[in-house]
Amino acid sequence: MDTSRLFKCRVLIVDDDPIVLQTCAAIVRSFGFSVRTAEDGFVALKILREVLPDMIISDLRMPNMSGFELLSIVRRRFPHLPTIGISGEFLLATMPLGLLVDHFFQKGAYTPDQLNAKMKELIADSPIRPHIGKADRAPLWIPRKDAEYIVVTCPECLRSSSIADEMEAGDLQETECLACGAMIRYLVDSSVLKALNDKSLKLPA
Ligand SMILES: [Zn+2]
């Protein structure tokens, strides 16, 4: 492909570890991309309200808003936007990752060349990639934390609000966005956080 196009491509990288974030940003800049960074999902959403990148690379396990939540919002709102998930855990067998990301790398188990090749492949494909499911109707997917409230992010205006978590897990819920009035449909699922806490799922180092 015409590599001069890549210089116009903007990549948003999200990771809560500042060293990993800056290292990843430096590597991706060396590929010729323009890079913005965010230290969690809320900062990423703020950036997405301002300017839409051409790709998102996100850590999956982060405090405040996990990569799973962020990427489910991105998939719902911007289904054409290519996404890469990166995590220290081996999650593919148990997670609905294919619905959330276009590619998954396990932390420390890929080379910069592999990342570069996958990014260019996904960006080259993005104008023609099929929309996944009915993005406008697909519910958001929110991992359940053991708290009395959950954070729901509106896929229309990308603003987040806390609501009481008194529903049964796995039920489809609806709530109205306090900021813009849009109806938000969401699913609460505790399986991912349980899996993240299950050390047996980690691959041997
Ligand atoms: Zn809204």
Side-chain angles (χ1 to χ4, degrees), residues 117-129:
K118 182 52 73 176
M119 290 178 71
K120 285 172 182 169
E121 178 194 320
L122 289 175
I123 284 181
D125 286 349
S126 76
I128 53 166
R129 67 200 291 273

Side-chain angles (χ1 to χ4, degrees), residues 154 156-159 177 179-182:
C154 173
E156 300 304 321
C157 69
L158 302 180
R159 290 177 196 284
C177 173
C180 77

Side-chain angles (χ1 to χ4, degrees), residues 142-152 161-171 173 186-190 193:
I142 299 169
R144 176 187 291 266
K145 301 175 178 71
D146 285 322
E148 286 167 4
Y149 64 91
I150 55 173
V151 175
V152 174
S161 49
S162 300
I163 61 171
D165 176 18
E166 51 203 16
M167 304 296 182
E168 291 299 314
D171 287 350
Q173 312 294 340
Y186 62 96
L187 269 170
V188 177
D189 179 355
S190 60
L193 292 177

